[in-house]
Structures are given as C-alpha cells and as structure tokens.
Amino acid sequence: MSTFSLDPGEDQLAVRDWLHGFAADVMRPAAAEWDEREETPWPIIQEAARIGIYTPDFYAQQYFDPSGVGIPIAMEELFWGDAGLGLAIVGTTLAAVAVLANGTDEQIGTWAPQMFGTPDDVKVAAFCSSEPDAGSDVSALRTRAVYDQAKDEWVLNGTKTWATNGGIAAVHVVVATVDPALGARGQASFVVPPATPGLSQGQKFKKHGIRASHTAEVVLDGVRVPGHCLLGGKEKLDARLARAREQAVQGGAAAAGPGSRAKGTNAAMATFEASRPAVGAQAIGIARAAYEVALDYAKTRVQFGRPIIDNQGVAFTLADMKTRIDAARLLVWRASWMAANNQPFTSAEGSMSKLYAGETAKWVTAQAMQILGGNGYTREYPVERMHRDSAIYSVFEGTSEIQRLVIARSISGLPIR
Ligand SMILES: Cc1cc2nc3c(=O)[nH]c(=O)nc-3n(C[C@H](O)[C@H](O)[C@H](O)COP(=O)(O)OP(=O)(O)OC[C@H]3O[C@@H](n4cnc5c(N)ncnc54)[C@H](O)[C@@H]3O)c2cc1C
C-alpha cells in the first residue's frame, strides 16, 4: 500500500507540467471556437493522440499509479485548459474504465486500442447507461439483452440517452438488463464493436456548456454482438445472476434502488465508483481556471481609484474561492488514493469528493463572473464559458442529490429516501 502523500512524485509533476503545456498552448487558444461550433474537435483529439495524451497506455499508466493522484492531476490540468475540449479528449475513458472494471484481460487487450484508434486515425468510445426513464434510477433500465444460444450472440434492443460520444464512437459499451426482475443486479455490460448493424445515433443534444463534447441518444434495434462481447464472460454473469436470484428468494435483494450504489454491486455502478474522484478533479480544473482569471482581474481593474481587490468584499471572496478549491482537491486526492489502494469507502468518500468538487466549480465560476462585472457576462472573457461548463458537474456521474443520498446512507446505515 502506498502512503497517502500531498507531495506528488517527480513523475507526476513531470506529467502535470507536460499536460499544462498542452492545455495552455493547444486547448486554451481553441476553446472559444469549439464552444461556438458545438462540434467534436477532431484536430485537437488528434493532436492529443500525436503527442501521447490520447492513448490507452497513458491512461493505464495514470490509472495504475499507486499514489492515486496520477488521474486527478491529469484531469485537473486538461480541464484547466478547457472543459469542453477536455471532455472531448477524455470522454472515451468512461467506456474504457467500464471495460477495465468489468472485462477480462483479453477483453481489455482487444477493445482498449480500438476505442482510441491511432494518431492517424483517431477514434472515440461511448459508455451508454442512461435512458429516457432511467437516469438517477439506474435499476430502471429497459434496454434488454437476450442470449441467442444457437448462435452464441447477444441481441440488444432499447434506447440510450445522454451518451457522451454516442453514435460517433467506434466502440460503444452498453449496459442492458438480462433479467429485469433483478433490477440493477440483473444488468450486464456489452461491447458493441465498430460498424455493428442496428446501432444508430438518435438526437444530438444542444447543450448549455461543455459544447465541444458530443452528447446524443443511441438507438439499439436488434443489435447482435458475439458472445465474447459480454464483459466478464457468461460464466461469471450466470454465477452472479444465480446469487442474486437466491438472495431475492431469501428476501435479501429487494429492488436494488439507489442504496446499492455505494457498494457498486452492479456493472454500471462499478464504473461510476471508479470514476467519481476523476470527475471531481475535472471540476477542480475549471474552478482553478476561473479563480486565476478573477484574481488577475481583481488586481488590475481599478474603480474608485484603487484595484477592486483592495476591497475586502472582493478579496474575501477570492480567499473563499481558493480555500474551497484546495479543500475539494484534498477530498479528490484522498478518494483517489483510497481507490488506488483498495481502501473501503466507508463514508462514501468517492461521492463526497465529486459532490464537493462539483458544487465548488459552480460556486467559484459564479463568483468569478461577478468579480469581472460586465466583462464576466460576455464571451470576450472565458469565465462565462467556464460557468456554463461547470453546471454539468452537479448532474452527470450522479447528481449532487444522489451523491448526498449515497453519503447519507453510507454514514447512517439507514435506507434514507
Ligand atoms: C452532458 C451530459 C453527458 C452525459 N454523459 C453520459 C454518458 O456518457 N453516459 C451515460 O450513461 N449517461 C450520461 N449522462 C447522463 C447523466 O448521468 C444523467 O443525466 C444523470 O444521471 C441524471 O439523470 P437524469 O438526467 O435522468 O435526471 P433525473 O434522474 O430525472 O433527476 C432529476 C432531478 O431529480 C433529482 N432526484 C432524482 N432522484 C432523487 C432522489 N432519490 N433523491 C433526491 N433527488 C433525486 C436529481 O438529483 C435531479 O435533480 C450525461 C448527461 C449529460 C447532461
């Protein structure tokens, strides 16, 4: 087990500086343009691939860093550069983590490279769990997976929504229900390989923020995937379903509502648990970026004959902004270290980190806009975009209310509703 440390090692600091350079030189100058275009920034993803930031190896290296801070440091720097472009670059990792969390070594080796493509032919991947009637309540998924034993194929039918990279991805990872009677415990994750017939993109959403990241519906109409596309394999699934059925008979597995989430007892939740602190780190990147703009502005903007930071009303706000950002980072690093060192999340520390970092990003970016006055309200300055981008951090990867529910249940041991 590695000791928890607030002092990143030389390797992590080198990665941080390298990513900071990419964020400052490549992402920042392109951020406003791609926000306006609301399109996937393929040239930026390609550049990230060319220099080695967009590769399975890079993320695997950070993911398996025993200090736990490799991923949060990487996320913070990229999202300091820009959140829309950042998500366009790292959106693939949500699907990759699903394969990593639920797949066999062979499945990881097969699918991870196809998710990223090559620098000359970059690809993206999508993780499809949410549905029109199953957002926070993941146990309500309706997408069905039925096994065709004669052909050793799974047949997927349903409609997914809000999928980052949905429809434009080479590889889609789809969470579907195999046994609806078991709720979340009856679900499994499937890889849908590139160009599989029956998978199509539905509506592409026009969003408030992170507009360079593609978000769309994914329609699955009689999609057939080979048996080996079931993550973890059929034997493991059959054993898991048998256990769940047994517990259901004994009355122990009543409908798996949001309470089961803290324990990550199903495929979708295993993915969310692994990625929550990383998502918190993205929010911190946005907050830090907005804070820096506001601090500079407050030192140079003169009103009533003195810089506006000379007023406690402004200076104290900046002090609170910095304090909350640092507190959020501590929570994120702690949770990431715990995850990397297999420490039990007895108080839902992963959810705590995402909750606090997400809310901090929304609050800090709002304060930054206020400190910039009229300029903060325009697209001439980046804080307006940062504020729009930050708003997603209390919604995706579990809303703030769901994080509170998970924490409350975890600390009380009670089925809080
Ligand atoms: C830009 C974007 C990208 C996304 N990317 C992906 C992706 O790649 N893959 C994917 O699968 N999903 C993705 N999502 C979906 C996202 O995870 C869901 O939007 C989120 O889980 C909330 O679900 P919902 O939108 O259906 O809201 P609902 O679940 O309908 O919630 C509506 C409101 O009710 C509150 N609420 C619900 N239940 C409770 C409760 N028990 N107690 C208290 N309050 C409650 C919620 O907190 C929220 O405020 C994305 C969403 C967006 C907007």
Side-chain angles (χ1 to χ4, degrees):
M1 189 173 88
S2 95
T3 310
F4 179 66
S5 168
L6 294 174
D7 186 16
E10 262 175 42
D11 288 354
Q12 280 111 11
L13 291 176
V15 168
R16 184 194 65 187
D17 294 347
W18 175 48
L19 293 179
H20 189 81
F22 179 80
D25 301 341
V26 178
M27 297 174 79
R28 284 242 166 143
E33 181 194 337
W34 290 102
D35 174 58
E36 289 295 336
R37 284 173 66 166
E38 275 186 77
E39 291 168 8
T40 301
W42 290 107
I44 306 287
I45 302 174
Q46 192 164 15
E47 181 60 13
R50 201 183 59 72
I51 67 164
I53 291 172
Y54 188 74
T55 69
D57 286 354
F58 172 71
Y59 289 103
Q61 232 169 24
Q62 307 314 315
Y63 190 84
F64 291 112
D65 164 21
S67 78
V69 298
I71 288 283
I73 285 177
M75 292 295 173
E76 183 176 332
E77 287 316 309
L78 291 175
F79 283 70
W80 173 91
D82 180 63
L85 297 176
L87 199 61
I89 293 171
V90 309
T92 293
T93 61
L94 194 56
V97 168
V99 174
L100 201 62
N102 303 300
T104 61
D105 287 350
E106 198 182 338
Q107 287 171 326
I108 296 166
T110 303
W111 299 114
Q114 296 194 46
M115 290 178 165
F116 288 82
T118 63
D120 292 332
D121 186 17
V122 283
K123 305 286 185 204
V124 292
F127 175 69
C128 311
S129 172
S130 303
E131 296 181 3
D133 292 324
S136 300
D137 185 5
V138 182
S139 65
L141 294 188
R142 287 195 194 151
T143 295
R144 279 301 305 266
V146 176
Y147 188 53
D148 178 347
Q149 194 157 10
K151 293 187 173 160
D152 182 27
E153 287 178 347
W154 287 92
V155 187
L156 307 177
N157 278 293
T159 299
K160 293 292 177 181
T161 193
W162 306 123
T164 299
N165 296 333
I168 62 165
V171 174
H172 292 75
V173 175
V174 172
V175 184
T177 178
V178 179
D179 184 343
L182 295 174
R185 289 168 163 232
Q187 296 167 1
S189 296
F190 300 84
V191 169
V192 180
T196 301
L199 184 151
S200 59
Q201 182 185 305
Q203 181 190 0
K204 178 188 169 186
F205 295 104
K206 287 180 80 71
K207 305 195 297 296
H208 178 63
I210 52 162
R211 299 198 302 183
S213 168
H214 172 103
T215 317
E217 290 175 335
V218 172
V219 180
L220 302 147
D221 183 9
V223 172
R224 286 185 163 267
V225 298
H228 62 77
C229 286
L230 164 64
L231 288 178
K234 190 145 187 319
E235 213 173 294
K236 204 169 153 195
L237 173 68
D238 286 344
R240 186 157 59 80
L241 293 179
R243 266 198 315 276
R245 285 183 193 118
E246 205 176 304
Q247 285 171 354
V249 170
Q250 291 163 2
S260 64
R261 286 162 195 183
K263 300 183 179 73
T265 49
N266 63 74
M269 284 309 127
T271 304
F272 289 147
E273 278 304 311
S275 50
R276 266 176 191 156
V279 176
Q282 297 170 4
I284 294 168
I286 304 172
R288 191 183 109 212
Y291 157 76
E292 287 173 4
V293 174
L295 179 62
D296 279 353
Y297 193 89
K299 284 179 179 168
T300 50
R301 171 70 177 165
V302 173
Q303 286 294 279
F304 302 101
R306 56 190 184 165
I308 58 171
I309 198 170
D310 275 7
N311 303 289
Q312 282 190 359
V314 174
F316 283 11
T317 302
L318 285 158
D320 283 346
M321 289 159 79
K322 171 73 172 148
T323 303
R324 291 197 197 188
I325 291 167
D326 281 14
R329 189 182 297 106
L330 289 173
L331 286 173
V332 163
W333 283 24
R334 176 180 72 166
S336 298
W337 172 82
M338 291 173 76
N341 290 280
N342 296 317
Q343 297 297 300
F345 283 60
T346 48
S347 303
E349 290 86 347
S351 295
M352 267 189 212
S353 72
K354 195 267 175 179
L355 167 65
Y356 192 74
E359 292 296 330
T360 293
K362 285 173 70 173
W363 184 82
V364 166
T365 53
Q367 302 315 307
M369 278 179 75
Q370 186 65 19
I371 288 172
L372 266 69
N375 282 330
Y377 198 66
T378 70
R379 296 197 180 178
E380 298 298 310
Y381 286 78
V383 291
E384 177 269 348
R385 186 179 69 250
M386 292 165 183
H387 186 53
R388 283 188 287 110
D389 290 345
S390 73
I392 192 61
Y393 285 86
S394 62
V395 176
F396 69 5
E397 288 282 319
T399 64
S400 286
E401 291 74 24
I402 292 301
Q403 309 299 342
R404 290 187 180 100
L405 195 65
V406 171
I407 298 163
R409 287 181 171 179
S410 195
I411 58 175
S412 68
L414 296 171
I416 313 280
R417 295 216 157 260

